[in-house]
Amino acid sequence: MTLRNKKIILAITGSIAAYKAALIVRGLIKAGAEVQVIMTAAATDFISPLTLSTLSKRPVYSSARGEDDWNNHVELGLWADAMLIAPITANTLAKLANGHCEDMVGAVYLSARCPVWFAPAMDLDMWAHPATQANVAKLQSYGNHLIDVADGELASGLSGAGRLAEPEEIIAVLESHFGHETDLAGKKVLVTAGPTYEALDPVRFIGNHSSGTMGVEVAMAAARRGAEVELVLGPSRLKPVHPKLNVTHVISAREMYAVCTNRWPATDIAVMAAAVADYRPATVAEEKIKKKGGADESFSLELVRNPDIAATLGADKRKGQLLIGFAMETENGPANARRKLVDKNLDAIVLNSIREEGAGFGEGTNKVAIITADRERKYSVKPKTAVAKDILDVVVELQA
Ligand code: PMT
């Protein structure tokens, strides 16, 4: 609950990207914020106030509505801890840069005593135009904060700078502003997450059930706590976004190994949450492997060892670096985890067992014990976001 009890005004203006405002509201609420949505009349053409009031559990105020709403602008400006204008169009940028306030968004903006963030969305030529750039600079010169546009495909079909930043990134900016726990500021954190796929032929691979959630939650939590985070992510449907997070996508254990060994010398803390394949097929067929015999034909596969990433980092560990591993066990959990702690020269190992309810693979919860040389800390079943926090709390303790 990184934004617990924070009062946030979300001002939405008339861009096609307004549909993403629903995800922004949902993300802010999930992070614990109270959200008051206000809209320009044009924005109501792109997304319905009903959708937004249902998600925010508050009435939505818009300049398209009655006089009562209009009178709220001073009150709202004083109520808010933050004002977020997302998406902001070229038109509203121009109006706010020049102090126009003929609608609710302009009036609340001028009344707001809280910090203001604005996230533009428009076509690439509109964004590049000197008039727009001058308006952005003017708004920044008043102390407002720009959440920069992203590069990519635009609603017009053109491609370039002008896309609204992703909702997760916008929320992360506010989280970073309000985040009180900055105990990892200045630290470089390396995290592995997800499965690895070891190719057999162009069609098939050997993989596992890791979703990437556990490692991604650790990476996001570290970024929120101020660290510069390098996430090395195996094949996963997750797309984490945070200004302090750099994601490198890999497929196989050897690719993960190459990225991690390259980053390790410049790393302060590494958390190895990936489920890395210990073996890979000795050869990768160039064409799809075909069945040969009848129904009773058997097929043997020769496997060779993959490098152990955690053990390699452990062997090269210098004073001051911390290396945290995971152990996914089905039996003799604590004993196996302790052996890995020593063999891989880890500072702590997070034990989870696939046999325990609510633990292991998937997007939900985990139940872990964190084992260090002198202690075993046992935790209850909790969401992986909360497990990530427990792990980082131990990391901070070990650093002290
Ligand atoms: O991704 P999720 O769906 O959220 O699931 C999370 C998880 C179950 C994958 C995670 O919590 C977890 O337990 N990750 C480690 C799984 C694992 O492979 O454990 P292991 O006991 O085989 O490996 C021990 C440690 O060595 C791990 O830190 C592993 O990342 C590392 N290792 C293993 C083999 C290898 N070749 N290189 C490694 O670095």
Side-chain angles (χ1 to χ4, degrees), residues 77-89:
L78 297 178
W79 169 84
D81 296 310
M83 180 173 184
L84 169 64
I85 315 173
I88 186 168
T89 57

Side-chain angles (χ1 to χ4, degrees), residues 184-267:
L184 291 174
K187 297 292 175 194
K188 293 214 177 341
V189 174
L190 172 69
V191 181
T192 65
T196 60
Y197 287 177
E198 309 299 325
L200 240 75
D201 65 19
V203 178
R204 306 178 182 95
F205 59 83
I206 298 174
N208 61 67
H209 296 294
S210 170
S211 61
T213 310
M214 191 64 256
V216 164
E217 292 297 352
V218 170
M220 287 295 284
R224 284 190 209 107
R225 287 165 81 149
E228 294 289 338
V229 183
E230 286 286 339
L231 171 65
V232 189
L233 181 58
S236 162
R237 62 171 202 86
L238 301 175
K239 295 187 171 50
V241 179
H242 190 285
K244 287 183 161 294
L245 179 72
N246 182 48
V247 186
T248 304
H249 295 274
V250 294
I251 307 282
S252 67
R254 282 189 297 173
E255 284 172 25
M256 191 174 270
Y257 175 87
V259 179
C260 290
T261 49
N262 176 274
R263 303 280 197 276
W264 180 229
T267 297

Side-chain angles (χ1 to χ4, degrees), residues 10-12 25 35-40 43-44 47-66 69 72 76 104:
L10 173 62
I12 307 169
V25 173
V35 182
Q36 175 61 59
V37 175
I38 62 174
M39 304 172 80
T40 60
T44 63
I47 184 165
S48 130
L50 180 62
T51 304
L52 297 159
S53 67
T54 307
L55 289 172
S56 65
K57 300 186 179 64
R58 283 170 165 267
V60 167
Y61 301 129
S62 116
S63 47
R65 296 181 52 180
D69 299 346
N72 282 335
L76 277 178
M104 192 73 177

Side-chain angles (χ1 to χ4, degrees), residues 210-212 214 272-274 278 307 309-310 326 340 344 352 362 384:
S210 170
S211 61
M214 191 64 256
M272 317 303 284
D278 288 321
I309 307 165
F326 270 71
K340 287 176 184 172
K344 302 191 188 206
N352 45 189
K384 286 186 175 174

Side-chain angles (χ1 to χ4, degrees), residues 263-321:
R263 303 280 197 276
W264 180 229
T267 297
D268 298 303
I269 301 153
V271 182
M272 317 303 284
V276 187
D278 288 321
Y279 296 91
R280 66 178 186 277
T283 54
V284 182
E286 275 184 24
E287 305 299 336
K288 184 181 172 193
I289 300 168
K290 297 271 190 291
K291 298 192 282 277
K292 284 198 191 87
D296 57 353
E297 183 216 358
S298 66
F299 178 83
S300 307
L301 199 61
E302 192 193 343
L303 300 177
V304 292
R305 279 290 289 268
N306 268 328
D308 190 309
I309 307 165
T312 306
L313 304 193
D316 280 349
K317 193 167 66 171
R318 58 178 159 69
K319 205 166 172 284
Q321 282 182 311

